[in-house]
Amino acid sequence: MIRDAVVYFDVPRRFHEEFSVTDEEFSITEPELTADDLLVLDDPYFDAGNVALVTGAGSGIGQATAVGLAANGLTVAGLDVDTDGLDETVELASSIGGAGEFTPIVCDLTDDVEVEAAVDEAAAAGDLRFVANIAGLQHISPLDKFPMGKYDLLQSVMLRAPFLVSKLVMPHVRETEDGVGAIGNMASIHGHYATKDKAAYIATKFGLRGLTQAIAAEGDGVLRSFSVSVGYVLTPLMVNQIEDTAQERGISERAVVEDVMLGQARTKEMMTPAEVANLFTFGFSRHARHLNGGDLLWDGGYTLTYE
C-alpha cells in the first residue's frame, strides 16, 4: 500500500484552483491512515467478545474499516486474497492500537470452501455479530466490448460473495444470546445511477443495495443491514481506475479527476478510506439502530444535485 501520499503536488486531497499543476506533474495516491482519522464510539457491543468480519481487509477501505473496528475494541477477522496486504493491516492495526485484535485470514472470495472456512474461523473467535462486505475490483470497458470473464469475476467477488458470506453469517448472529448484529455492504454512487464503461461494476452495486434490503427484511429487526454509497475514494483501486479511464477516454489523468470524477460533485474533494470506514463503524453502533435496509449516501452532492 502506498503511504505518505501526495495529492495534487503535495496539496491536501481537496482541489485548489490557485495551484497551477501541469498534466505531467499531476500525482494522486492514497493517504496515510492515522489514529486521529478514526471514529471511536462507546457501544455495549464493541468489545473483544464480539467479532466483526471484514472482506477486502488487505488494502483501501477494507483495511481502514478493519483497523477502525479493532480500534473500537472488536475482534476483527480480516479476509483478503493478498497475504502481503493482510500483513500490512496487522502492522497498521498494531501501530494505531485499540482494545480490539485483528486476525488475518487468507481467503479467495470466489472459492466457496475457503469462504465457509473463513466464516467458521471468525465465528470461533467469539460472537460473530458484524460483517462488512467491502472487497471490490473494477474493469473499465464499453459494454459491447466487455470481457465476460471480467464480468463474472466482478459479480463473483462483489455480489455473489457478499450473498454467501451473509448466508453463512446470519445463523451465527442468531445463535448469540440476543441475536443482535448488522451486515454492512459497500455499495457506491454507481448503485444509484450509471455512467459509461463500468457496466459490470454498476450491476453489482445495484444488486448489493437489493441484497441489503433483502437481509433487512429477514433480520427480524435485530439483525440489521445497511449499505454505504460514496463517490470517489483515494484507494489503490481508484488510483488504478484513473489511469484506465484516461486511456479509455483518451484524456489526461488530471482531466479524469477534475472533470469526470469531481466534475459533477458539489464538494470538490475525494473521500479517504478512513472516512468511509467511519460510516461502517457508525452503522454497526447503537447510534444506527434505526438504520435497517437503508443506504448511507455520502457523495458530496454528486447524486442528488446538478447545475
Side-chain angles (χ1 to χ4, degrees), residues 45 47-54 73-79 99-105 116-130 172 175-176:
Y45 290 97
D47 62 51
N50 292 316
V51 179
L53 185 153
V54 180
L74 287 160
T75 294
V76 179
L79 279 57
E101 181 176 330
F102 175 78
T103 300
I105 301 176
E116 291 173 7
V119 171
D120 287 343
E121 184 174 347
D127 286 342
L128 180 51
R129 292 185 183 273
F130 304 110
H172 288 290
E175 288 170 2
T176 63

Side-chain angles (χ1 to χ4, degrees), residues 208-266:
L208 269 178
R209 291 188 61 211
L211 174 62
T212 297
Q213 295 173 24
I215 295 169
E218 299 185 20
D220 299 323
V222 289
L223 171 56
R224 297 183 295 108
S225 185
F226 63 92
S227 56
V228 174
S229 292
V230 298
Y232 293 93
V233 184
L234 288 169
T235 65
L237 177 65
M238 190 281 300
V239 172
N240 293 335
Q241 183 180 332
I242 292 173
E243 181 179 352
D244 293 343
T245 301
Q247 293 177 354
E248 184 65 41
R249 300 195 182 191
I251 58 178
S252 70
E253 293 183 9
R254 177 176 179 169
V256 171
V257 173
E258 295 178 10
D259 301 332
V260 178
M261 292 183 169
L262 296 180
Q264 186 175 318
R266 304 284 76 79

Side-chain angles (χ1 to χ4, degrees), residues 44-191:
Y45 290 97
F46 286 3
D47 62 51
N50 292 316
V51 179
L53 185 153
V54 180
T55 70
S59 67
I61 296 169
Q63 182 177 71
T65 301
V67 172
L69 294 175
N72 273 275
L74 287 160
T75 294
V76 179
L79 279 57
D80 207 298
V81 72
D82 181 3
T83 304
D84 291 340
L86 286 174
D87 289 343
E88 291 180 357
T89 308
V90 171
E91 295 176 3
L92 186 57
S94 177
S95 67
I96 286 179
E101 181 176 330
F102 175 78
T103 300
I105 301 176
V106 178
C107 178
D108 181 352
L109 292 175
T110 68
D111 186 320
D112 288 6
V113 174
E114 290 194 19
V115 172
E116 291 173 7
V119 171
D120 287 343
E121 184 174 347
D127 286 342
L128 180 51
R129 292 185 183 273
F130 304 110
V131 175
N133 285 309
I134 296 176
L137 59 156
Q138 179 63 280
H139 184 79
I140 306 296
S141 177
L143 196 152
D144 61 350
K145 299 177 181 178
F146 209 98
M148 291 310 297
K150 288 292 186 182
Y151 174 88
D152 292 340
L153 179 60
L154 265 67
Q155 285 283 321
S156 181
V157 172
M158 293 196 293
L159 187 54
R160 189 181 187 279
F163 188 103
L164 176 59
V165 169
S166 300
K167 171 187 174 181
L168 296 172
V169 167
M170 288 175 75
H172 288 290
V173 178
R174 288 173 173 146
E175 288 170 2
T176 63
E177 184 177 358
D178 54 12
V180 171
I183 297 174
N185 295 315
M186 187 71 245
S188 170
I189 57 174
H190 287 105

